[in-house]
Amino acid sequence: MKIALGQLESGTDIQANLAAIDRFAASAAADGATLVAFPEYATYEKKIVDASFPAVAEPLDGPVCRELAATAARHGITLVAGVVETSDEDRAYNTLVAFGPCGARLAVYRKIHLFDAQGFGESAYIKPGPSTEPVVFEAGGAVFGLMTCYDLRFPELARSLADAGAQVLLVCSSWVPGTHKTEQWLALNAARAIENSVYVAGVCQAPPVSVGRSLLVDPMGYVEADLGLEPGVRSVEVSLRTVARVKEQFPMFRQRRLG
């Protein structure tokens, strides 16, 4: 099966962001992809998370998610994107939403590890998701697991998704630039793939707000695609047979003695 990585350059113009998502979804569908993944904060993004994020937040049945659902249905493709969701307080949720090719909502994941690091304070304006349960969904015969950006540094979340049956991890991100940050981004995506015998699709915002380098890593750690620094969309094959073969070659899930 084919999945597509949509590397955006999202800004504060929500309609422009939605238009870019629609263009990339159309291109991915035309290329035969069954799923297209977009970054964290795909529909609204700035260099710094501030009070404007809760101000633009919407419920999951609001106009932004309705448009994302319509895009998925219009192009007959499963679509995953990061949105800013209202909560029950003055902070918002940093949320990933998956819509199926008929426009139905398949999964919702609210980021649990907020980026209070490197001088940033995401939790001042974003509320952590209330549940740490792994969020997986099925599309095109494969099982996908959802993670957001800083989650990548917490290997136990990736392992819980693999334990829940995920064959492909979608790591939707806006990875903050800095010293060695691109190297860490590449290494951590590869590590999560190798240690769980799964594909990892790390989908990132483009510079300057983020580092770009959206990539697909196979279960052996080989980089199947790297989108570089410019916005764009690319379709890549994933093989569930490869997942099964690597799990058999390295039967870590049967051999581990912790947990």
Side-chain angles (χ1 to χ4, degrees), residues 11-56:
T12 58
D13 186 333
I14 293 173
Q15 291 308 311
N17 298 334
L18 289 170
I21 289 169
D22 183 73
R23 290 195 304 272
F24 285 3
S27 178
D31 199 31
T34 59
L35 176 145
V36 59
F38 294 101
E40 172 186 32
Y41 293 132
T43 59
Y44 184 83
E45 176 63 309
K46 296 173 74 172
K47 187 75 173 174
I48 299 290
V49 176
D50 60 17
S52 69
F53 283 72
V56 303

Side-chain angles (χ1 to χ4, degrees), residues 134-151:
V135 176
V136 299
F137 67 95
E138 190 275 334
V143 180
F144 294 85
L146 295 178
M147 301 172 63
T148 305
C149 201
Y150 196 46
D151 286 335

